[in-house]
Amino acid sequence: MLDQTDKLILEELSKNSRITMKELGERVHLTGQAAAARVAKLEDNGVIEKYTIQVNQKELGCWVHAWITIFTKSTSHQPYLSFIAEQKNYVLTNYKISGDGCYLLESRFPSNEILDQFLTDLNKHVNYKVSIVINKL
């Protein structure tokens, strides 16, 4: 069970995982050494699994943000999964879901033309429904 200080540490690391332990300690009212010890304990206990970055996709030229609901055509999903594994330039996340569809892709594309070609290739393996993000609020 996490205490309030651990929750504050996780909140601060979620905002900026590159924060120094000294600055983290100041924000959660601990010394830098005590903050580092808490972070190490959270890592050892599996609460913190990894550190990552958030990339601004628009700065990389990926203007079209699409969510694609996947409907498999057969019980063998491997052809689809192999195709998706090759699409790292466009697929941000591939979620296996329940409910409406089998998978949910979060993806980014530099243009509608490239999205169209991706969907043409995707349709060789599965059926799909596309939702385009208009704005993030």
Side-chain angles (χ1 to χ4, degrees):
M1 193 76 175
L2 299 179
D3 65 19
Q4 189 60 34
T5 302
D6 289 336
K7 291 176 184 176
L8 289 172
I9 288 171
L10 292 174
E11 183 178 318
E12 291 299 326
L13 288 175
S14 294
K15 293 177 193 172
N16 179 6
S17 63
R18 295 187 62 183
I19 191 171
T20 67
M21 289 300 115
K22 179 181 178 185
E23 188 175 349
L24 177 62
E26 290 171 2
R27 291 186 183 184
V28 299
H29 309 291
L30 295 172
T31 65
Q33 187 175 9
R38 289 276 192 126
V39 169
K41 184 177 178 184
L42 290 167
E43 291 169 343
D44 291 344
N45 289 338
V47 176
I48 297 175
E49 294 181 335
K50 66 180 178 178
Y51 295 89
T52 186
I53 63 170
Q54 182 173 335
V55 176
N56 184 328
Q57 294 291 324
K58 287 183 181 177
E59 290 297 320
L60 293 177
C62 293
W63 300 100
V64 181
H65 188 183
W67 289 87
I68 306 170
T69 304
I70 302 298
F71 303 91
T72 57
K73 296 178 181 179
S74 73
T75 56
S76 175
H77 297 189
Q78 195 53 51
Y80 160 75
L81 295 171
S82 296
F83 171 76
I84 292 304
E86 297 170 359
Q87 304 300 315
K88 294 183 193 252
N89 290 341
Y90 307 122
V91 175
L92 302 176
T93 311
N94 180 29
Y95 299 98
K96 187 171 185 179
I97 62 171
S98 65
D100 189 26
C102 300
Y103 296 91
L104 181 64
L105 291 180
E106 181 180 11
S107 52
R108 289 276 195 163
F109 300 90
S111 67
N112 283 332
E113 293 78 17
I114 293 174
L115 168 59
D116 183 52
Q117 183 59 55
F118 174 86
L119 294 174
T120 299
D121 296 340
L122 178 65
N123 198 229
K124 295 172 185 171
H125 308 287
V126 295
N127 292 319
Y128 60 84
K129 178 179 79 175
V130 179
S131 297
I132 302 295
V133 176
I134 302 300
N135 194 4
K136 181 178 179 181
L137 304 176

